[in-house]
């Protein structure tokens, strides 16, 4: 097996996703692990996603991967001290999470990809390991790199944003709401975990008298207006 730090794009896939994204990426499920108070005993729980993909082949290999990561050779999951030592050797694995620094790694085999999100803080879950069909995951990441298109009801392109970024929806009364967007395929988008065809969303915006703009553009316009005041 091969192990390396997560790329920026892969970090999106070390959290629980919607059924649509899980299906596109071949998400089999994930393992959540923790060390005891002393940091020595490792315990875990499995959360299934696609039971049809959890084959005997996968289960055997997954056990081997986890056991290897707990071995003296790797030490990533041996205990909390070893985890801190291991991540310290890979500074490019660090990522600022919601409330602390986390560390991400991808373990690759011939068929599967295991994406690990690690936390070395006492009292927190130390591991989330999301398991994928590698070919499906890599294909989805490659396609998502094209970005998410927003169009008019007549299929005229308005703008395009990177996968995982936000838009600002402004209603007819001027009320604004931020919404995170995820790429599904070239014609479907997930907006605040709700699935839309891109034309369906454009028609909805027209019907209710709302508009949408990229969050970055909205923030830049707000800063510009403040400077001009």
């Amino acid at each position: 097996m091969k192990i390396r730090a997560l790329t920026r794009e892969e970090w999106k896939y070390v959290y629980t996703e919607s059924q649509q994204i899980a299906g596109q990426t071949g998400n089999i499920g994930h393992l959540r692990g923790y060390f005891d108070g002393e940091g020595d005993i490792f315990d875990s729980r499995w959360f299934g996603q696609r039971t049809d993909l959890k084959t005997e082949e996968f289960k055997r290999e997954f056990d081997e991967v986890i056991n290897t990561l707990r071995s003296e050779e790797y030490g990533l999951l041996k205990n909390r001290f070893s985890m801190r030592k291991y991540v310290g050797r890979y500074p490019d694995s660090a990522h600022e999470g919601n409330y602390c620094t986390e560390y991400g790694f991808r373990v690759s085999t011939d068929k599967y990809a295991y994406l690990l999100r690690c936390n070395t803080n006492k009292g927190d879950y130390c591991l989330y390991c999301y398991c994928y069909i590698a070919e499906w995951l890599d294909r989805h990441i490659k396609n998502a790199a094209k970005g998410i298109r927003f169009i008019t009801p007549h299929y005229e392109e308005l703008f395009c944003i990177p996968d995982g970024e936000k838009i600002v929806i402004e209603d007819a009364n001027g009320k604004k709401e931020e919404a995170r967007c995820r790429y599904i395929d070239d014609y479907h988008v997930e907006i605040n975990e709700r699935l839309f065809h891109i034309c369906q969303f454009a028609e909805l915006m027209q019907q209710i008298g709302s508009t949408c703009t990229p969050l970055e553009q909205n923030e830049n316009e707000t800063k510009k207006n403040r400077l001009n005041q």
Side-chain angles (χ1 to χ4, degrees):
M1 70 181 201
K2 299 178 181 178
I3 184 168
R4 60 164 172 77
L6 292 181
T7 65
R8 179 181 177 183
E9 292 77 17
E10 288 169 339
W11 268 102
K12 300 184 184 79
Y13 302 90
V14 288
Y15 299 91
T16 300
E17 302 156 342
S18 68
Q19 291 289 338
Q20 289 84 11
I21 295 176
Q24 291 276 340
T25 56
N27 184 339
I28 304 166
H30 72 274
L31 187 77
R32 185 180 70 188
Y34 60 93
F35 294 120
D36 68 351
E38 300 300 320
D40 294 325
I41 299 175
F42 179 77
D43 203 353
S44 61
R45 179 183 175 187
W46 171 260
F47 297 84
Q49 183 70 48
R50 289 281 301 271
T51 55
D52 58 314
L53 298 178
K54 192 180 178 184
T55 63
E56 290 301 320
E57 174 195 24
F58 164 75
K59 289 190 285 187
R60 285 194 299 270
E61 183 180 281
F62 186 44
D63 285 344
E64 291 176 6
V65 168
I66 296 300
N67 289 333
T68 299
L69 294 176
R70 298 194 64 214
S71 67
E72 289 285 348
E73 180 183 358
Y74 286 84
L76 178 59
L77 302 181
K78 182 182 177 184
N79 53 49
R80 188 178 296 112
F81 175 79
S82 293
M83 176 179 281
R84 287 172 178 166
K85 186 177 179 180
Y86 187 92
V87 301
R89 298 201 300 268
Y90 300 94
D92 57 337
S93 70
H95 176 81
E96 289 306 315
N98 294 328
Y99 64 95
C100 69
T101 300
E102 297 176 311
Y103 304 88
F105 299 92
R106 172 172 173 160
V107 174
S108 297
T109 63
D110 290 339
K111 186 174 180 179
Y112 300 102
Y114 306 94
L115 273 54
L116 285 67
R117 173 163 56 97
C118 302
N119 183 343
T120 62
N121 293 335
K122 184 178 180 180
D124 293 330
Y125 289 111
C126 65
L127 171 73
Y128 289 86
C129 176
Y130 286 81
C131 309
Y132 296 92
I133 303 293
E135 183 181 0
W136 295 19
L137 174 65
D138 293 337
R139 180 174 61 242
H140 189 268
I141 291 174
K142 181 180 178 180
N143 290 335
K146 293 182 288 188
I148 301 168
R149 293 186 301 141
F150 286 84
I151 61 174
T152 70
H154 303 291
Y155 269 85
E156 298 166 333
E157 187 163 320
L158 295 172
F159 59 87
C160 184
I161 64 170
D163 178 37
E165 295 300 316
K166 291 182 177 180
I167 58 172
V168 174
I169 300 173
E170 183 173 352
D171 66 18
N173 297 317
K175 182 180 178 181
K176 295 182 178 181
E177 176 188 5
E178 295 181 8
R180 186 172 299 281
C181 304
R182 292 300 309 272
Y183 175 94
I184 301 299
D185 58 37
D186 290 351
Y187 298 98
H188 294 87
V189 58
E190 198 174 85
I191 302 175
N192 275 355
E193 301 183 354
R194 185 179 172 189
L195 182 65
F196 292 95
H197 188 284
I198 58 174
C199 190
Q200 175 195 8
F201 182 73
E203 291 172 347
L204 175 64
M205 291 293 98
Q206 184 180 72
Q207 290 169 7
I208 64 178
S210 295
T211 60
C212 65
T213 54
L215 176 61
E216 184 177 359
Q217 175 184 324
N218 198 272
E219 290 176 338
N220 290 339
E221 289 177 355
T222 300
K223 290 178 183 178
K224 184 178 179 181
N225 291 336
R226 287 175 179 170
L227 291 173
N228 292 332
Q229 288 178 354

